[in-house]
Coordinates of all heavy atoms in Angstrom, one line a residue:
M14 N 41.1 -66.0 -37.7 CA 41.8 -64.7 -37.8 C 42.8 -64.7 -36.6 O 42.5 -65.1 -35.5 CB 40.9 -63.5 -37.6 CG 41.6 -62.2 -37.6 SD 40.6 -60.7 -37.7 CE 39.4 -60.9 -36.4
K15 N 44.1 -64.4 -36.9 CA 45.1 -64.4 -35.9 C 44.9 -63.2 -35.0 O 44.5 -62.1 -35.4 CB 46.4 -64.1 -36.6 CG 47.3 -65.3 -36.6 CD 48.6 -64.9 -37.2 CE 49.6 -66.0 -37.1 NZ 50.9 -65.7 -37.7
S16 N 45.0 -63.4 -33.7 CA 44.8 -62.3 -32.7 C 46.1 -61.6 -32.4 O 46.1 -60.5 -31.9 CB 44.2 -62.9 -31.4 OG 45.1 -63.9 -30.9
N17 N 47.3 -62.3 -32.7 CA 48.5 -61.6 -32.4 C 48.9 -60.7 -33.5 O 48.7 -61.0 -34.7 CB 49.7 -62.7 -32.2 CG 49.5 -63.5 -31.0 OD1 48.9 -63.1 -30.0 ND2 49.9 -64.7 -31.1
W18 N 49.5 -59.6 -33.2 CA 49.9 -58.6 -34.2 C 51.3 -58.9 -34.6 O 52.2 -59.2 -33.8 CB 49.8 -57.2 -33.6 CG 50.3 -56.2 -34.6 CD1 51.5 -55.5 -34.6 CD2 49.7 -55.8 -35.8 NE1 51.6 -54.7 -35.6 CE2 50.5 -54.8 -36.4 CE3 48.4 -56.1 -36.4 CZ2 50.1 -54.2 -37.6 CZ3 48.1 -55.5 -37.6 CH2 48.9 -54.5 -38.2
E19 N 51.6 -58.8 -35.9 CA 52.9 -59.0 -36.4 C 53.2 -57.8 -37.4 O 52.4 -57.5 -38.2 CB 53.0 -60.3 -37.2 CG 52.8 -61.5 -36.4 CD 52.7 -62.8 -37.2 OE1 53.0 -62.7 -38.4 OE2 52.3 -63.8 -36.7
S20 N 54.4 -57.2 -37.2 CA 54.7 -56.0 -38.0 C 54.7 -56.4 -39.5 O 54.4 -55.5 -40.3 CB 56.0 -55.4 -37.6 OG 57.1 -56.4 -37.7
K21 N 55.1 -57.6 -39.8 CA 55.1 -58.0 -41.2 C 53.7 -57.9 -41.8 O 53.6 -57.7 -43.0 CB 55.8 -59.4 -41.4 CG 55.0 -60.5 -40.8 CD 55.7 -61.8 -41.0 CE 55.0 -63.0 -40.4 NZ 55.7 -64.2 -40.5
R22 N 52.7 -58.1 -41.0 CA 51.3 -57.9 -41.5 C 51.1 -56.5 -42.0 O 50.5 -56.4 -43.1 CB 50.3 -58.3 -40.4 CG 48.9 -58.1 -40.8 CD 48.0 -58.6 -39.7 NE 48.2 -60.0 -39.6 CZ 47.4 -60.8 -38.9 NH1 46.3 -60.3 -38.3 NH2 47.5 -62.1 -38.8
A23 N 51.5 -55.5 -41.3 CA 51.3 -54.1 -41.7 C 52.1 -53.9 -43.0 O 51.6 -53.2 -43.9 CB 51.8 -53.2 -40.6
R24 N 53.3 -54.3 -43.1 CA 54.1 -54.1 -44.3 C 53.4 -54.8 -45.5 O 53.4 -54.3 -46.6 CB 55.5 -54.6 -44.1 CG 56.3 -53.8 -43.2 CD 57.8 -54.1 -43.2 NE 58.1 -55.5 -42.8 CZ 58.3 -56.0 -41.6 NH1 58.2 -55.1 -40.6 NH2 58.5 -57.2 -41.4
Q25 N 52.9 -56.0 -45.3 CA 52.3 -56.8 -46.4 C 51.0 -56.1 -46.8 O 50.7 -56.1 -48.0 CB 52.0 -58.2 -45.9 CG 51.5 -59.1 -47.0 CD 52.5 -59.3 -48.1 OE1 53.7 -59.6 -47.9 NE2 52.1 -59.1 -49.4
V26 N 50.3 -55.5 -45.9 CA 49.1 -54.8 -46.3 C 49.4 -53.7 -47.3 O 48.7 -53.6 -48.4 CB 48.3 -54.3 -45.1 CG1 47.3 -53.2 -45.5 CG2 47.6 -55.4 -44.3
R27 N 50.4 -52.9 -47.0 CA 50.7 -51.8 -47.9 C 51.2 -52.4 -49.3 O 50.9 -51.9 -50.3 CB 51.8 -50.9 -47.3 CG 51.9 -49.6 -47.9 CD 52.4 -48.5 -47.1 NE 53.7 -48.8 -46.4 CZ 54.9 -48.6 -46.9 NH1 55.0 -47.9 -48.1 NH2 56.0 -48.9 -46.3
R28 N 52.0 -53.4 -49.2 CA 52.5 -54.0 -50.5 C 51.3 -54.6 -51.3 O 51.3 -54.4 -52.5 CB 53.5 -55.2 -50.2 CG 54.9 -54.7 -49.9 CD 55.8 -55.9 -49.8 NE 56.8 -55.7 -48.8 CZ 56.9 -56.4 -47.6 NH1 56.1 -57.4 -47.4 NH2 57.8 -56.1 -46.7
N29 N 50.4 -55.2 -50.7 CA 49.2 -55.7 -51.4 C 48.4 -54.6 -52.0 O 47.9 -54.7 -53.1 CB 48.3 -56.5 -50.5 CG 48.9 -57.9 -50.1 OD1 50.0 -58.2 -50.5 ND2 48.2 -58.6 -49.2
I30 N 48.2 -53.5 -51.3 CA 47.5 -52.3 -51.8 C 48.3 -51.8 -53.0 O 47.6 -51.4 -54.0 CB 47.3 -51.3 -50.7 CG1 46.3 -51.8 -49.7 CG2 46.8 -49.9 -51.3 CD1 46.3 -50.9 -48.4
E31 N 49.6 -51.7 -52.9 CA 50.4 -51.1 -54.0 C 50.2 -52.0 -55.3 O 50.0 -51.5 -56.4 CB 51.9 -51.1 -53.6 CG 52.2 -50.0 -52.6 CD 53.6 -50.0 -52.1 OE1 54.3 -51.1 -52.2 OE2 54.0 -49.0 -51.6
E32 N 50.3 -53.3 -55.1 CA 50.1 -54.2 -56.2 C 48.7 -54.1 -56.8 O 48.5 -54.0 -58.0 CB 50.3 -55.7 -55.7 CG 50.3 -56.7 -56.8 CD 50.7 -58.1 -56.3 OE1 51.7 -58.2 -55.7 OE2 49.9 -59.0 -56.6
W33 N 47.7 -54.0 -55.9 CA 46.3 -53.9 -56.4 C 46.1 -52.6 -57.1 O 45.4 -52.6 -58.2 CB 45.4 -54.0 -55.2 CG 43.9 -54.0 -55.6 CD1 43.2 -55.0 -56.1 CD2 43.0 -52.9 -55.5 NE1 41.9 -54.6 -56.3 CE2 41.8 -53.3 -56.0 CE3 43.2 -51.6 -55.1 CZ2 40.7 -52.5 -56.1 CZ3 42.1 -50.7 -55.2 CH2 40.9 -51.2 -55.7
M34 N 46.7 -51.5 -56.6 CA 46.5 -50.2 -57.2 C 47.5 -49.9 -58.4 O 47.3 -49.0 -59.1 CB 46.6 -49.1 -56.2 CG 45.6 -49.1 -55.1 SD 45.8 -47.8 -53.9 CE 45.1 -46.4 -54.9
D35 N 48.5 -50.8 -58.5 CA 49.6 -50.6 -59.4 C 50.3 -49.3 -59.3 O 50.5 -48.6 -60.3 CB 49.1 -50.8 -60.9 CG 50.2 -51.1 -61.9 OD1 51.2 -51.6 -61.5 OD2 50.0 -50.7 -63.0
E36 N 50.5 -48.9 -58.1 CA 51.3 -47.7 -57.8 C 51.9 -47.7 -56.4 O 51.4 -48.5 -55.5 CB 50.4 -46.4 -57.9 CG 49.3 -46.3 -56.9 CD 48.5 -45.0 -57.0 OE1 47.7 -45.0 -58.0 OE2 48.6 -44.1 -56.2
Y37 N 52.9 -46.9 -56.2 CA 53.5 -46.9 -54.9 C 52.6 -46.1 -53.9 O 52.0 -45.1 -54.2 CB 54.9 -46.1 -55.0 CG 55.5 -45.8 -53.7 CD1 56.0 -46.9 -52.9 CD2 55.7 -44.5 -53.2 CE1 56.6 -46.6 -51.7 CE2 56.3 -44.3 -52.0 CZ 56.8 -45.3 -51.3 OH 57.4 -45.1 -50.1
V38 N 52.5 -46.7 -52.7 CA 51.6 -46.1 -51.7 C 52.5 -45.8 -50.5 O 52.9 -46.7 -49.7 CB 50.5 -47.0 -51.3 CG1 49.7 -46.3 -50.1 CG2 49.6 -47.3 -52.4
P39 N 53.0 -44.5 -50.3 CA 53.8 -44.2 -49.1 C 53.0 -44.3 -47.8 O 51.8 -44.3 -47.8 CB 54.2 -42.8 -49.4 CG 53.3 -42.2 -50.4 CD 52.7 -43.4 -51.1
Q40 N 53.8 -44.5 -46.7 CA 53.2 -44.6 -45.4 C 52.2 -43.5 -45.1 O 51.1 -43.7 -44.6 CB 54.2 -44.7 -44.3 CG 55.0 -46.0 -44.4 CD 56.2 -46.0 -43.4 OE1 56.7 -44.9 -43.0 NE2 56.6 -47.2 -43.0
G41 N 52.6 -42.3 -45.5 CA 51.8 -41.1 -45.2 C 50.5 -41.1 -45.9 O 49.4 -40.7 -45.4
K42 N 50.4 -41.6 -47.1 CA 49.2 -41.7 -47.9 C 48.3 -42.8 -47.2 O 47.1 -42.5 -47.1 CB 49.5 -42.1 -49.3 CG 48.3 -42.0 -50.3 CD 48.8 -42.4 -51.7 CE 48.1 -41.5 -52.7 NZ 48.5 -41.8 -54.1
L43 N 48.8 -43.9 -46.9 CA 48.0 -44.9 -46.2 C 47.5 -44.4 -44.9 O 46.3 -44.6 -44.6 CB 48.8 -46.2 -46.0 CG 48.1 -47.4 -45.3 CD1 46.8 -47.8 -46.1 CD2 49.0 -48.5 -45.1
A44 N 48.4 -43.7 -44.2 CA 47.9 -43.1 -42.9 C 46.8 -42.2 -43.1 O 45.8 -42.2 -42.3 CB 49.1 -42.4 -42.2
D45 N 46.9 -41.3 -44.1 CA 45.8 -40.3 -44.4 C 44.5 -41.1 -44.6 O 43.5 -40.7 -44.1 CB 46.2 -39.5 -45.5 CG 45.2 -38.4 -45.8 OD1 45.0 -37.6 -44.9 OD2 44.8 -38.3 -46.9
W46 N 44.6 -42.1 -45.5 CA 43.3 -42.8 -45.8 C 42.7 -43.5 -44.5 O 41.5 -43.5 -44.4 CB 43.6 -43.9 -46.8 CG 44.0 -43.4 -48.1 CD1 43.8 -42.2 -48.7 CD2 44.7 -44.2 -49.1 NE1 44.3 -42.1 -50.0 CE2 44.9 -43.3 -50.2 CE3 45.3 -45.4 -49.2 CZ2 45.6 -43.7 -51.4 CZ3 45.9 -45.8 -50.3 CH2 46.1 -45.0 -51.4
M47 N 43.6 -43.9 -43.6 CA 43.1 -44.6 -42.4 C 42.8 -43.6 -41.3 O 42.4 -44.0 -40.2 CB 44.1 -45.6 -41.9 CG 44.3 -46.7 -42.9 SD 45.6 -47.9 -42.5 CE 44.9 -48.8 -41.1
M48 N 43.1 -42.3 -41.5 CA 43.0 -41.2 -40.5 C 43.9 -41.4 -39.3 O 43.5 -41.2 -38.1 CB 41.5 -41.0 -40.1 CG 40.7 -40.6 -41.3 SD 39.0 -40.2 -40.9 CE 39.2 -38.6 -40.2
Y49 N 45.1 -41.8 -39.6 CA 46.1 -42.0 -38.6 C 47.4 -41.2 -39.0 O 47.4 -40.7 -40.2 CB 46.5 -43.4 -38.3 CG 45.6 -44.1 -37.4 CD1 44.4 -44.6 -37.9 CD2 45.9 -44.2 -36.1 CE1 43.5 -45.2 -37.0 CE2 45.0 -44.9 -35.2 CZ 43.8 -45.4 -35.7 OH 42.9 -46.0 -34.8
S50 N 48.4 -41.1 -38.2 CA 49.6 -40.4 -38.6 C 50.5 -41.3 -39.3 O 50.5 -42.5 -39.1 CB 50.3 -39.8 -37.3 OG 50.8 -40.9 -36.6
R51 N 51.4 -40.7 -40.1 CA 52.4 -41.5 -40.8 C 53.3 -42.2 -39.7 O 53.7 -43.4 -39.9 CB 53.3 -40.6 -41.7 CG 54.3 -41.4 -42.5 CD 55.5 -40.6 -43.0 NE 56.2 -39.8 -42.0 CZ 57.1 -40.3 -41.2 NH1 57.4 -41.6 -41.2 NH2 57.7 -39.5 -40.3
T52 N 53.6 -41.5 -38.6 CA 54.4 -42.1 -37.6 C 53.7 -43.4 -37.0 O 54.4 -44.4 -36.7 CB 54.6 -41.1 -36.4 OG1 55.1 -39.9 -37.0 CG2 55.5 -41.6 -35.3
S53 N 52.4 -43.4 -36.9 CA 51.7 -44.6 -36.4 C 51.9 -45.8 -37.4 O 52.2 -46.9 -37.0 CB 50.2 -44.3 -36.3 OG 49.9 -43.4 -35.3
V54 N 51.7 -45.5 -38.7 CA 51.9 -46.6 -39.7 C 53.3 -47.1 -39.7 O 53.6 -48.3 -39.7 CB 51.5 -46.1 -41.1 CG1 51.8 -47.1 -42.2 CG2 50.0 -45.8 -41.2
Q55 N 54.2 -46.1 -39.6 CA 55.6 -46.5 -39.5 C 55.9 -47.4 -38.3 O 56.6 -48.4 -38.4 CB 56.5 -45.3 -39.5 CG 58.0 -45.5 -39.4 CD 58.8 -44.3 -39.4 OE1 58.5 -43.4 -38.6 NE2 59.8 -44.1 -40.3
S56 N 55.4 -47.0 -37.1 CA 55.5 -47.8 -35.9 C 54.9 -49.2 -36.0 O 55.5 -50.2 -35.5 CB 54.9 -47.1 -34.7 OG 55.6 -45.9 -34.5
W57 N 53.8 -49.3 -36.7 CA 53.2 -50.6 -36.8 C 54.0 -51.5 -37.7 O 54.2 -52.7 -37.5 CB 51.8 -50.5 -37.5 CG 50.8 -49.7 -36.7 CD1 50.8 -49.4 -35.3 CD2 49.7 -48.9 -37.2 NE1 49.8 -48.6 -35.0 CE2 49.1 -48.3 -36.2 CE3 49.2 -48.8 -38.5 CZ2 47.9 -47.5 -36.3 CZ3 48.1 -48.0 -38.7 CH2 47.4 -47.4 -37.6
E58 N 54.6 -50.9 -38.8 CA 55.4 -51.6 -39.8 C 56.7 -52.0 -39.2 O 57.3 -53.1 -39.6 CB 55.6 -50.8 -41.1 CG 54.3 -50.7 -41.9 CD 54.5 -50.1 -43.2 OE1 55.7 -49.8 -43.6 OE2 53.5 -49.9 -44.0
K59 N 57.2 -51.3 -38.3 CA 58.5 -51.6 -37.7 C 58.4 -52.4 -36.4 O 59.4 -52.8 -35.8 CB 59.3 -50.3 -37.3 CG 59.6 -49.5 -38.6 CD 61.0 -49.0 -38.5 CE 61.3 -48.1 -39.7 NZ 62.3 -48.7 -40.6
G60 N 57.2 -52.6 -36.0 CA 57.0 -53.5 -34.8 C 57.2 -52.7 -33.5 O 57.3 -53.3 -32.4
R61 N 57.2 -51.4 -33.5 CA 57.4 -50.6 -32.3 C 56.1 -50.3 -31.6 O 56.1 -49.9 -30.4 CB 58.1 -49.3 -32.6 CG 59.5 -49.4 -33.1 CD 60.2 -48.1 -33.2 NE 59.5 -47.1 -34.0 CZ 60.0 -46.7 -35.2 NH1 61.1 -47.2 -35.6 NH2 59.3 -45.9 -35.9
A62 N 55.0 -50.5 -32.3 CA 53.6 -50.3 -31.7 C 52.7 -51.3 -32.3 O 52.8 -51.8 -33.4 CB 53.2 -48.9 -32.0
R63 N 51.7 -51.6 -31.5 CA 50.6 -52.5 -31.9 C 49.3 -51.7 -32.0 O 48.9 -51.0 -31.0 CB 50.4 -53.6 -30.8 CG 49.4 -54.6 -31.1 CD 49.4 -55.7 -30.0 NE 48.6 -56.8 -30.4 CZ 47.6 -57.2 -29.6 NH1 47.4 -56.7 -28.5 NH2 46.9 -58.2 -30.1
P64 N 48.7 -51.7 -33.2 CA 47.5 -50.9 -33.4 C 46.3 -51.4 -32.5 O 46.3 -52.5 -32.1 CB 47.2 -51.0 -34.9 CG 47.9 -52.1 -35.3 CD 49.1 -52.4 -34.4
E65 N 45.4 -50.5 -32.4 CA 44.2 -50.8 -31.6 C 43.4 -51.9 -32.4 O 43.6 -52.1 -33.6 CB 43.3 -49.6 -31.3 CG 42.9 -48.8 -32.6 CD 42.3 -47.5 -32.3 OE1 42.9 -46.7 -31.5 OE2 41.3 -47.2 -32.9
P66 N 42.4 -52.5 -31.8 CA 41.7 -53.6 -32.4 C 41.0 -53.2 -33.8 O 41.0 -54.0 -34.7 CB 40.6 -54.0 -31.4 CG 41.3 -53.7 -30.1 CD 42.1 -52.4 -30.4
G67 N 40.4 -52.0 -33.8 CA 39.8 -51.6 -35.1 C 40.8 -51.5 -36.3 O 40.4 -51.9 -37.4
V68 N 42.0 -51.1 -36.0 CA 43.0 -51.0 -37.0 C 43.5 -52.4 -37.4 O 43.7 -52.7 -38.6 CB 44.2 -50.1 -36.6 CG1 45.3 -50.1 -37.6 CG2 43.7 -48.7 -36.4
R69 N 43.6 -53.2 -36.4 CA 44.0 -54.6 -36.7 C 42.9 -55.3 -37.6 O 43.3 -56.0 -38.5 CB 44.2 -55.4 -35.4 CG 45.4 -54.9 -34.7 CD 45.9 -55.8 -33.6 NE 45.0 -56.3 -32.6 CZ 44.7 -55.7 -31.5 NH1 45.4 -54.6 -31.1 NH2 43.8 -56.2 -30.6
F70 N 41.7 -55.0 -37.3 CA 40.6 -55.5 -38.2 C 40.7 -55.0 -39.6 O 40.5 -55.7 -40.6 CB 39.2 -55.2 -37.6 CG 38.1 -55.7 -38.5 CD1 37.8 -57.1 -38.5 CD2 37.3 -54.8 -39.2 CE1 36.8 -57.5 -39.3 CE2 36.3 -55.3 -40.0 CZ 36.0 -56.6 -40.1
M71 N 41.0 -53.7 -39.7 CA 41.2 -53.1 -41.1 C 42.3 -53.8 -41.8 O 42.2 -54.2 -43.0 CB 41.5 -51.6 -41.0 CG 40.3 -50.7 -40.9 SD 40.7 -49.0 -41.2 CE 41.4 -48.5 -39.7
H72 N 43.4 -54.1 -41.1 CA 44.5 -54.8 -41.7 C 44.1 -56.3 -42.1 O 44.5 -56.7 -43.2 CB 45.7 -54.9 -40.8 CG 46.5 -53.7 -40.8 ND1 46.2 -52.5 -40.1 CD2 47.7 -53.4 -41.5 CE1 47.1 -51.6 -40.3 NE2 48.0 -52.1 -41.2
H73 N 43.3 -56.9 -41.3 CA 42.8 -58.2 -41.6 C 42.0 -58.2 -42.9 O 42.2 -59.0 -43.8 CB 42.0 -58.7 -40.4 CG 41.2 -60.0 -40.7 ND1 41.8 -61.2 -40.8 CD2 39.9 -60.2 -41.0 CE1 40.9 -62.1 -41.1 NE2 39.7 -61.5 -41.3
M74 N 41.1 -57.2 -43.0 CA 40.3 -57.1 -44.2 C 41.1 -56.8 -45.4 O 40.9 -57.3 -46.5 CB 39.2 -56.0 -44.0 CG 38.2 -56.4 -42.9 SD 37.3 -57.9 -43.3 CE 36.4 -57.5 -44.8
L75 N 42.1 -55.9 -45.2 CA 43.0 -55.5 -46.4 C 43.9 -56.7 -46.8 O 44.2 -56.7 -48.0 CB 43.8 -54.3 -46.0 CG 43.0 -53.0 -45.9 CD1 43.8 -51.9 -45.2 CD2 42.6 -52.5 -47.3
L76 N 44.2 -57.6 -45.9 CA 45.0 -58.7 -46.3 C 44.1 -59.7 -47.2 O 44.6 -60.2 -48.2 CB 45.5 -59.5 -45.1 CG 46.8 -58.9 -44.5 CD1 47.1 -59.6 -43.2 CD2 48.0 -59.0 -45.4
K77 N 42.9 -59.8 -46.8 CA 41.9 -60.6 -47.6 C 41.6 -60.0 -48.9 O 41.4 -60.7 -49.9 CB 40.7 -60.9 -46.8 CG 40.9 -61.8 -45.6 CD 39.7 -61.9 -44.7 CE 38.4 -62.2 -45.4 NZ 37.3 -62.5 -44.5
D78 N 41.4 -58.6 -48.9 CA 40.9 -57.9 -50.1 C 41.5 -56.5 -50.1 O 41.0 -55.6 -49.5 CB 39.4 -57.8 -50.1 CG 38.8 -57.0 -51.2 OD1 39.6 -56.7 -52.2 OD2 37.6 -56.7 -51.1
P79 N 42.7 -56.3 -50.8 CA 43.3 -55.0 -50.9 C 42.3 -53.9 -51.4 O 42.5 -52.7 -51.1 CB 44.5 -55.2 -51.8 CG 44.7 -56.6 -51.9 CD 43.4 -57.3 -51.6
G80 N 41.3 -54.3 -52.2 CA 40.4 -53.4 -52.7 C 39.5 -52.7 -51.6 O 38.9 -51.7 -51.9
F81 N 39.5 -53.3 -50.4 CA 38.8 -52.8 -49.3 C 39.3 -51.4 -49.0 O 38.6 -50.6 -48.3 CB 38.9 -53.7 -48.1 CG 38.2 -53.3 -46.9 CD1 36.8 -53.2 -46.9 CD2 38.8 -53.0 -45.7 CE1 36.1 -52.9 -45.8 CE2 38.1 -52.6 -44.6 CZ 36.7 -52.6 -44.6
I82 N 40.5 -51.0 -49.5 CA 41.0 -49.7 -49.2 C 40.1 -48.6 -49.8 O 40.0 -47.5 -49.3 CB 42.5 -49.5 -49.8 CG1 43.2 -48.3 -49.2 CG2 42.5 -49.5 -51.3 CD1 43.3 -48.3 -47.7
L83 N 39.4 -48.9 -50.9 CA 38.4 -48.0 -51.4 C 37.3 -47.6 -50.4 O 36.9 -46.5 -50.3 CB 37.9 -48.5 -52.7 CG 38.9 -48.7 -53.9 CD1 38.2 -49.2 -55.1 CD2 39.6 -47.4 -54.2
E84 N 36.9 -48.7 -49.7 CA 35.9 -48.4 -48.7 C 36.4 -47.5 -47.5 O 35.7 -46.6 -47.1 CB 35.4 -49.7 -48.1 CG 34.7 -50.6 -49.1 CD 33.3 -50.1 -49.5 OE1 32.6 -49.4 -48.6 OE2 32.9 -50.3 -50.6
I85 N 37.7 -47.8 -47.2 CA 38.3 -47.0 -46.1 C 38.5 -45.6 -46.6 O 38.2 -44.6 -45.8 CB 39.7 -47.7 -45.7 CG1 39.4 -49.0 -45.0 CG2 40.5 -46.7 -44.8 CD1 40.7 -49.9 -44.8
K86 N 38.9 -45.4 -47.8 CA 39.1 -44.0 -48.4 C 37.8 -43.3 -48.4 O 37.7 -42.1 -48.0 CB 39.7 -44.1 -49.8 CG 41.2 -44.5 -49.8 CD 41.7 -44.7 -51.2 CE 41.6 -43.5 -52.0 NZ 42.2 -43.7 -53.4
E87 N 36.7 -44.0 -48.8 CA 35.4 -43.3 -48.9 C 34.9 -42.9 -47.5 O 34.4 -41.8 -47.3 CB 34.4 -44.3 -49.6 CG 33.0 -43.6 -49.7 CD 32.0 -44.6 -50.3 OE1 32.4 -45.6 -50.8 OE2 30.8 -44.2 -50.3
W88 N 35.1 -43.8 -46.6 CA 34.7 -43.5 -45.2 C 35.5 -42.3 -44.7 O 34.9 -41.4 -44.1 CB 35.0 -44.7 -44.3 CG 34.7 -44.4 -42.8 CD1 33.5 -44.4 -42.2 CD2 35.7 -44.0 -41.9 NE1 33.7 -44.0 -40.9 CE2 35.0 -43.8 -40.7 CE3 37.1 -43.8 -41.9 CZ2 35.7 -43.4 -39.5 CZ3 37.7 -43.4 -40.8 CH2 37.0 -43.2 -39.6
S89 N 36.8 -42.3 -44.8 CA 37.6 -41.2 -44.3 C 37.3 -39.9 -45.0 O 37.2 -38.8 -44.3 CB 39.1 -41.5 -44.4 OG 39.6 -41.6 -45.7
D90 N 37.0 -39.9 -46.3 CA 36.6 -38.7 -47.0 C 35.3 -38.1 -46.4 O 35.2 -36.9 -46.2 CB 36.5 -38.9 -48.5 CG 37.8 -39.1 -49.2 OD1 38.9 -38.9 -48.6 OD2 37.7 -39.6 -50.4
N91 N 34.3 -39.0 -46.2 CA 33.1 -38.6 -45.6 C 33.2 -38.1 -44.2 O 32.6 -37.2 -43.8 CB 32.1 -39.8 -45.7 CG 31.6 -40.1 -47.1 OD1 31.7 -39.3 -48.0 ND2 31.2 -41.4 -47.2
E92 N 34.1 -38.8 -43.4 CA 34.3 -38.4 -42.1 C 34.9 -37.0 -42.0 O 34.5 -36.1 -41.2 CB 35.2 -39.4 -41.4 CG 35.4 -39.2 -39.9 CD 34.2 -39.3 -39.1 OE1 33.2 -40.0 -39.5 OE2 34.2 -38.8 -37.9
R93 N 35.9 -36.7 -42.9 CA 36.6 -35.4 -42.9 C 35.6 -34.3 -43.3 O 35.5 -33.2 -42.7 CB 37.7 -35.4 -43.9 CG 39.0 -36.0 -43.3 CD 40.2 -35.7 -44.2 NE 41.3 -36.5 -43.7 CZ 41.5 -37.8 -44.1 NH1 40.7 -38.4 -44.9 NH2 42.5 -38.5 -43.6
A94 N 34.7 -34.6 -44.3 CA 33.7 -33.7 -44.7 C 32.7 -33.4 -43.6 O 32.4 -32.2 -43.4 CB 33.0 -34.2 -46.0
S95 N 32.4 -34.4 -42.9 CA 31.4 -34.2 -41.8 C 32.1 -33.3 -40.7 O 31.5 -32.4 -40.1 CB 31.0 -35.5 -41.2 OG 30.2 -35.4 -40.0
Q96 N 33.4 -33.6 -40.4 CA 34.1 -32.8 -39.3 C 34.2 -31.4 -39.8 O 34.1 -30.5 -39.0 CB 35.5 -33.5 -39.1 CG 35.4 -34.8 -38.3 CD 36.8 -35.4 -38.2 OE1 37.8 -34.9 -38.7 NE2 36.8 -36.5 -37.6
Q97 N 34.5 -31.2 -41.0 CA 34.7 -29.8 -41.6 C 33.3 -29.1 -41.5 O 33.3 -27.9 -41.1 CB 35.1 -29.8 -43.0 CG 35.4 -28.5 -43.6 CD 36.0 -28.5 -45.0 OE1 36.0 -29.6 -45.6 NE2 36.4 -27.4 -45.5
Q98 N 32.2 -29.7 -41.8 CA 30.9 -29.1 -41.8 C 30.6 -28.7 -40.3 O 30.1 -27.7 -40.1 CB 29.8 -30.0 -42.3 CG 28.5 -29.4 -42.4 CD 28.4 -28.2 -43.3 OE1 28.9 -28.2 -44.4 NE2 27.8 -27.1 -42.8
T99 N 30.9 -29.6 -39.4 CA 30.6 -29.4 -38.0 C 31.4 -28.2 -37.5 O 30.9 -27.3 -36.8 CB 31.0 -30.6 -37.1 OG1 30.1 -31.7 -37.5 CG2 30.7 -30.4 -35.6
S100 N 32.7 -28.1 -37.9 CA 33.5 -27.0 -37.5 C 33.0 -25.7 -38.1 O 32.9 -24.6 -37.4 CB 34.9 -27.2 -38.1 OG 35.8 -26.1 -37.8
E101 N 32.5 -25.7 -39.4 CA 32.0 -24.5 -40.0 C 30.7 -24.1 -39.3 O 30.4 -22.9 -39.0 CB 31.7 -24.7 -41.5 CG 33.0 -24.8 -42.3 CD 32.8 -25.2 -43.7 OE1 31.6 -25.3 -44.1 OE2 33.8 -25.5 -44.4
D102 N 29.9 -25.0 -38.9 CA 28.6 -24.7 -38.2 C 28.9 -24.1 -36.8 O 28.2 -23.2 -36.4 CB 27.8 -26.0 -38.0 CG 27.2 -26.5 -39.4 OD1 27.2 -25.8 -40.4 OD2 26.7 -27.7 -39.4
E103 N 29.9 -24.6 -36.1 CA 30.2 -24.1 -34.8 C 30.7 -22.6 -34.9 O 30.5 -21.8 -34.1 CB 31.3 -25.0 -34.2 CG 30.7 -26.3 -33.7 CD 31.8 -27.3 -33.2 OE1 33.0 -26.9 -33.4 OE2 31.4 -28.3 -32.7
K104 N 31.5 -22.3 -36.0 CA 32.0 -21.0 -36.2 C 30.8 -20.0 -36.4 O 30.9 -18.8 -36.0 CB 32.9 -20.9 -37.4 CG 34.3 -21.5 -37.1 CD 35.2 -21.5 -38.3 CE 36.5 -22.2 -38.1 NZ 37.3 -22.2 -39.3
R105 N 29.8 -20.4 -37.1 CA 28.6 -19.6 -37.4 C 27.7 -19.4 -36.2 O 27.0 -18.4 -36.1 CB 27.8 -20.2 -38.5 CG 28.4 -20.0 -39.9 CD 27.4 -20.5 -41.0 NE 28.2 -21.2 -41.9 CZ 28.0 -22.4 -42.3 NH1 26.9 -23.1 -41.9 NH2 28.7 -23.0 -43.2
A106 N 27.8 -20.3 -35.2 CA 26.9 -20.2 -34.1 C 27.3 -19.2 -33.1 O 28.2 -18.6 -33.0 CB 26.8 -21.6 -33.4

């Protein structure tokens, strides 16, 4: 696995996901699935920022298997539901 970050890797990941899903995936949608901002994804794709190691690992996995996005989406949906439940519990307390 390459340790250096290349912006073309981020762009290729999104293209691979689009091809796998057979639909256009805007930066904002990918960012939402990864629980990051659209600006972050845009910065990674333009080479203005280097993502943290966990995100670089996600990109590595997505380059090998674009279908891995389903795992990421499931995780982010569960994470959001958990955060929402915690917030509701705190309001009741």
Side-chain angles (χ1 to χ4, degrees):
M14 177 170 57
K15 253 184 170 176
S16 61
N17 293 332
W18 177 254
E19 298 172 10
S20 58
K21 65 182 178 183
R22 177 177 292 194
R24 289 190 302 271
Q25 187 61 49
V26 161
R27 197 157 52 92
R28 281 190 217 112
N29 289 359
I30 292 169
E31 289 172 341
E32 186 176 306
W33 184 80
M34 295 180 80
D35 197 29
E36 69 179 70
Y37 174 66
V38 177
Q40 290 173 335
K42 190 177 217 180
L43 180 61
D45 184 56
W46 295 337
M47 296 174 73
M48 296 186 76
Y49 277 83
S50 69
R51 184 197 57 77
T52 305
S53 294
V54 172
Q55 182 180 48
S56 294
W57 302 334
E58 288 187 3
K59 296 224 180 246
R61 292 191 303 251
R63 184 175 186 233
E65 60 191 45
V68 175
R69 292 196 307 268
F70 178 73
M71 277 195 281
H72 278 82
H73 169 75
M74 294 301 295
L75 287 165
L76 280 172
K77 290 172 52 171
D78 176 14
F81 184 63
I82 195 64
L83 296 179
E84 296 291 326
I85 293 169
K86 287 172 61 175
E87 181 180 351
W88 173 84
S89 64
D90 289 346
N91 291 337
E92 185 67 19
R93 280 191 191 86
S95 176
Q96 288 174 359
Q97 184 177 9
Q98 184 62 47
T99 300
S100 177
E101 289 172 8
D102 290 347
E103 289 173 351
K104 287 179 184 176
R105 284 189 222 123

